[in-house]
Amino acid sequence: MRNIVNAVALGLVAAILLISCSSATSNEPNAVLQEFFEHLAKKDIDGATKYVTSDSKPTMQMMKKGLDMAEKMKDSLPQSDPMKDFQDVVIEPARIMGDSAFVLVKSKTQQRPEAEFKLLKESNGWKVDFTMSTLMRMGMKSVQNQGDEIRDSIN
């Protein structure tokens, strides 16, 4: 369960770091993901929302409420900031397949597992698929990969 939470947190932080002040649309998936992550790193959920698919907007609203709640409870929570994990990432070149693009994101510090982000082409350019179902798939894949690594180290 902790691995799933870490993978989701990594996904959120990665998304924040990749978004910046540039246009919310692009013909380049990597640029969109970069902008998305940059906004997430700054905890600018409204800015990051400009880079997600229309189906992902409820997830972003939920994230914003969670961050608002965490800010109100910051004195009673651990002092670590999971959003900082997304500031030190390597974004691999996108693999484009029609109206879908897949971008592998790795941590430079190796403290977080790698994650593959999916982007979809909508009418106004590439957008990050950041729905809850996508985040759950990413989390499950991360847990599976960690299990494979443990099994390989035993053998």
Side-chain angles (χ1 to χ4, degrees), residues 49-63:
T49 300
K50 296 175 185 175
Y51 297 92
V52 301
T53 62
S54 56
D55 290 343
S56 301
K57 293 187 192 273
T59 303
M60 298 302 290
Q61 291 172 349
M62 186 171 62
M63 183 188 304

Side-chain angles (χ1 to χ4, degrees), residues 98-154:
D99 287 343
S100 297
F102 302 89
V103 181
L104 188 63
V105 176
K106 299 177 181 179
S107 169
K108 287 182 185 176
T109 62
Q110 305 297 324
Q111 299 216 337
R112 298 282 185 198
E114 61 185 36
E116 184 173 63
F117 285 81
K118 181 179 180 181
L119 288 87
L120 300 173
K121 198 166 220 176
E122 291 190 343
S123 61
N124 55 348
W126 289 103
K127 299 289 185 168
V128 179
D129 181 12
F130 210 67
T131 60
M132 286 305 294
S133 61
T134 298
L135 294 175
M136 289 302 293
R137 277 194 301 273
M138 288 172 64
M140 294 303 290
K141 185 174 182 179
S142 174
V143 169
Q144 180 182 9
N145 289 344
Q146 287 177 353
D148 291 344
E149 290 174 11
I150 292 170
R151 195 171 26 262
D152 290 344
S153 69
I154 294 172

